[in-house]
Amino acid sequence: MKAYHVNGHAGAGRLVRVDVRKPEPGNGEVRIRVEAASLNYRDLIILDRAGQDGLDGRIPLSDGAGVVDAVGPDVVQWQVGDRVAASFFRDWVSGPFKAQYVASALGGSTMDGMLAEHVVLPVTAVVAVPEHLTSIEAATLPCAAVTAWHGLVTRGGMGQGDTLLVQGTGGVALFGLQFATALGARAIVISSSDEKLARAKALGAAILINYRTTPDWDVALMTATDGQGASHILELGGPGTYDRSMRSVASGGKIVQIGVLTGFGPKPDLARLQWENADIIGVTVGSVDHFTAMNRFLIDHAIHPIVDRVFGFDEAPEAFAHLRSGSHFGKIVVKL
């Protein structure tokens, strides 16, 4: 079968197309004929660190969807022809997170990912694709959508009457915006692009702030909310945005900590959390149960993921380059 490997010695792209043996499912496993895989910012970090982190030969990308084309001898949960998507953490099926689940993240330090024609996974690590979604749409869900769902809804309790701050217009951000709109929450979107802000408004954003022309976006947010702030914040930026997020959170609010888009660096002064009785919720994607619950919500509200652009399998390096450019609005997908 055809697949891609990351290679720390392959130049700037560090992505190499290879021919490898098609895997066969064993007991308790299914084989997926992958129809689409999507990219996350995490995949750029892995690609850039391939050489130093010993990831040479790893199949990248955590997110993908397709069709079951073979099952192990004892498998009854799934049948050939079932449409499924892979869960980000192979081993986190339900219950609270445990440290040992980190090693089971697809496309990471120890597990191959989804940028291959066929993938074998345990029966417990896949979920059914909602009937109203294509495989291209379903491939966008495992990381970005589950992260937004787990942080904002499962643990954040976001609902009608709440106010959500969304940073940017990438995958997690737009899923958060779509969930907020469906739940009856007010959404505030910040972006450096007026064109992207206009598209976010069409998806239901109520307050739009261009942080390039309004660098003190936290001040603008407090003004727009009559000094109340945001009850929920999708903190996607990291060191470059955290202080302003701290100044934007409402009393009793929740900062859902996810991103490192501005890199890694000093941590902010957290004293305001105490004064405002606010919380930080640390989130790294979610479980199979979170994924399944979110899919029911997508079905109930007829939500379709926002796909920015679809690349062919031969164009996978170009898909990574497009993600790196930061020009995307929503998810970037590779079609197999």
Side-chain angles (χ1 to χ4, degrees):
M1 70 172 185
K2 296 179 178 64
Y4 277 94
H5 284 171
V6 296
N7 187 319
H9 308 286
R14 297 197 176 103
L15 198 64
V16 179
R17 182 169 162 172
V18 296
D19 289 311
V20 295
R21 184 183 298 275
K22 182 190 298 185
E24 296 296 333
N27 290 336
E29 294 179 332
V30 297
R31 188 176 68 201
I32 303 167
R33 175 172 52 81
V34 182
E35 295 185 330
S38 76
L39 280 67
N40 297 285
Y41 185 74
R42 164 187 184 257
D43 300 311
L44 289 181
I45 297 175
I46 289 172
L47 193 67
D48 291 344
R49 296 181 178 178
Q52 66 195 65
D53 288 353
L55 295 176
D56 286 350
R58 175 74 61 232
I59 296 174
L61 303 192
S62 59
D63 293 14
V67 177
V68 174
D69 77 341
V71 300
D74 62 342
V75 172
V76 296
Q77 298 96 321
W78 302 102
Q79 298 179 350
V80 172
D82 286 342
R83 299 177 62 232
V84 297
S87 185
F88 181 93
F89 287 111
R90 184 198 65 183
D91 296 343
W92 189 9
V93 178
S94 61
F97 181 75
K98 298 178 181 179
Q100 59 261 36
Y101 295 153
V102 172
S104 73
L106 301 186
S109 59
T110 60
M111 294 284 164
D112 280 333
M114 300 297 293
L115 195 52
E117 290 183 313
H118 293 84
V119 172
V120 167
L121 288 170
V123 295
T124 53
V126 297
V127 301
V129 169
E131 289 186 4
H132 73 293
L133 299 184
T134 66
S135 290
I136 287 174
E137 292 173 318
T140 71
L141 301 177
C143 181
V146 174
T147 296
W149 174 264
H150 177 203
L152 292 173
V153 183
T154 304
R155 291 171 60 192
M158 183 176 67
Q160 187 170 3
D162 285 327
T163 299
L164 169 66
L165 166 62
V166 171
Q167 297 174 350
T169 55
V172 180
L174 291 188
F175 279 119
L177 170 58
Q178 289 179 290
F179 294 154
T181 300
L183 289 165
R186 177 175 59 169
I188 303 168
V189 176
I190 65 171
S191 171
S192 62
S193 165
D194 286 337
E195 187 270 335
K196 289 182 178 180
L197 287 172
R199 295 176 69 182
K201 182 178 181 180
L203 292 174
I207 299 172
L208 311 168
I209 303 172
N210 186 318
Y211 65 78
R212 191 175 302 280
T213 58
T214 309
D216 293 332
W217 54 262
D218 53 318
V219 176
L221 181 148
M222 294 301 286
T223 299
T225 59
D226 298 323
Q228 296 301 305
S231 62
H232 294 73
I233 296 176
L234 265 180
E235 173 45 57
L236 301 169
T241 56
Y242 221 117
D243 283 330
R244 294 191 187 278
S245 289
M246 293 288 294
R247 294 194 290 269
S248 301
V249 68
S251 298
K254 298 175 177 64
I255 298 175
V256 179
Q257 165 62 31
I258 296 166
V260 291
L261 295 181
T262 64
F264 301 88
K267 301 300 185 289
D269 182 358
L270 303 181
R272 189 169 186 269
L273 285 180
Q274 180 181 353
W275 302 333
E276 296 294 345
N277 288 275
D279 298 318
I280 292 178
I281 300 173
V283 172
T284 303
V285 198
S287 67
V288 173
D289 278 0
H290 293 140
F291 199 164
T292 302
M294 181 198 71
N295 279 349
R296 289 195 294 268
F297 185 84
L298 297 180
I299 294 168
D300 291 343
H301 294 272
I303 293 174
H304 288 266
I306 307 302
V307 176
D308 173 83
R309 186 172 169 186
V310 179
F311 290 82
F313 187 70
D314 294 341
E315 301 173 307
E318 287 83 355
F320 276 79
H322 184 53
L323 177 62
R324 194 182 299 277
S325 76
S327 62
H328 56 290
F329 183 91
K331 295 291 293 181
I332 298 167
V333 178
V334 175
K335 181 180 180 181
L336 281 79

